[in-house]
Amino acid sequence: GQNIDQPTEMTATEGAIVQINCTYQTSGFNGLFWYQQHAGEAPTFLSYNVLDGLEEKGRFSSFLSRSKGYSYLLLKELQMKDSASYLCAVRDRFGTGTASKLTFGTGTRLQVTL
Amino acid sequence: EAGVAQSPRYKIIEKRQSVAFWCNPISGHATLYWYQQILGQGPKLLIQFQNNGVVDDSQLPKDRFSAERLKGVDSTLKIQPAKLEDSAVYLCASSLLGDSMNTEAFFGQGTRLTVV
């Protein structure tokens, strides 16, 4: 099985930088995803990491260390519209087959304030 | 490109009643997921299909929940009988088949179920 941990809540100021951490334990790691979910809406894809290192996409970056079972999502130049939940999801292969399943953490609720 | 379609958007039922949800994935997506999301929590995987076969249903309460994807396209999730703790948003997602690629899951708008 998997164990995915994220902080429950974070608060940051508009214009600032915030880092949301995610740690995981899995036996057949096959990729890590970050999703954004606004209240009452469906999750939307933000980023994907499968190799160690940093992936940058505009104001959002995501980092992965497979040896440490650790990822973070970095949000720069925070805007009020970034107030949302951020979900870390791990894809891992199970058994001896090639199928993978996608498991989500509990999410981190980010509140951006003035 | 059409997204993942789900219906109904909202459903209110009494406990012990039955309910069914429908999902039509993005065309060509072999993998289909049903997640349950209780308020304030992350999505919990109930069942995952690859074409019309079940990949994982380890967290599906099989005494009351069932799901099928008979032709490998659209899918239905049923709860019979419902309990109060089944109140949640039921999210359907789909993705291309390709475990070695960035095959992100695309989500539908979800069905918000309230059991009273």
Side-chain angles (χ1 to χ4, degrees):
Chain A
Q2 292 154 323
N3 211 2
I4 303 173
D5 289 314
Q6 303 179 235
T8 305
E9 290 186 356
M10 298 183 72
T11 302
T13 307
E14 189 179 36
I17 299 172
V18 70
Q19 178 175 313
I20 302 174
N21 296 324
C22 171
T23 58
Y24 64 89
Q25 294 172 316
T26 184
S27 54
F29 179 81
N30 190 23
L32 187 143
F33 298 81
W34 284 95
Y35 280 79
Q36 180 190 60
Q37 187 176 28
H38 284 101
E41 298 182 10
T44 55
F45 168 77
L46 286 178
S47 70
Y48 169 74
N49 295 73
V50 68
L51 300 176
D52 291 350
L54 189 68
E55 294 284 338
E56 297 188 77
K57 195 187 279 189
R59 293 190 300 115
F60 293 9
S61 304
S62 57
F63 172 83
L64 176 68
S65 169
R66 288 172 296 170
S67 62
K68 295 181 180 178
Y70 168 68
S71 174
Y72 67 72
L73 180 70
L74 195 70
L75 292 76
K76 302 175 189 175
E77 301 167 18
L78 279 173
Q79 302 175 10
M80 298 299 289
K81 67 178 182 179
D82 297 329
S83 293
S85 287
Y86 291 85
L87 302 164
C88 173
V90 173
R91 184 171 63 193
D92 77 324
R93 292 194 181 95
F94 51 98
T96 56
T98 58
S100 298
K101 67 176 182 179
L102 185 63
T103 303
F104 283 80
T106 55
T108 299
R109 189 160 53 245
L110 174 66
Q111 181 71 41
V112 180
T113 60
L114 291 171
Chain B
E1 175 184 278
V4 177
Q6 288 189 249
S7 67
R9 286 295 310 277
Y10 305 92
K11 190 74 177 178
I12 301 175
I13 61 172
E14 295 183 349
K15 59 184 179 184
R16 291 187 289 274
Q17 285 188 323
S18 302
V19 65
F21 313 127
W22 174 80
C23 173
N24 192 19
I26 293 172
S27 178
H29 280 194
T31 304
L32 185 148
Y33 315 80
W34 281 104
Y35 288 90
Q36 179 194 58
Q37 188 171 28
I38 292 171
L39 187 65
Q41 299 182 18
K44 171 187 166 185
L45 180 66
L46 292 177
I47 189 167
Q48 178 176 332
F49 293 95
Q50 191 163 294
N51 295 309
N52 61 350
V54 175
V55 169
D56 183 77
D57 63 357
S58 58
Q59 297 196 93
L60 187 74
K62 297 180 186 65
D63 57 334
R64 299 185 300 107
F65 286 63
S66 64
E68 58 184 17
R69 193 185 185 198
L70 292 175
K71 296 182 180 178
V73 180
D74 55 349
S75 175
T76 54
L77 176 70
K78 296 179 182 177
I79 308 175
Q80 179 180 10
K83 293 185 175 181
L84 295 177
E85 61 258 37
D86 298 332
S87 294
V89 176
Y90 291 84
L91 293 164
C92 179
S94 70
S95 68
L96 291 167
L97 182 64
D99 291 343
S100 61
M101 303 178 341
N102 173 10
T103 52
E104 77 263 27
F106 294 84
F107 283 83
Q109 288 299 301
T111 297
R112 184 178 298 277
L113 174 68
T114 302
V115 182
V116 297

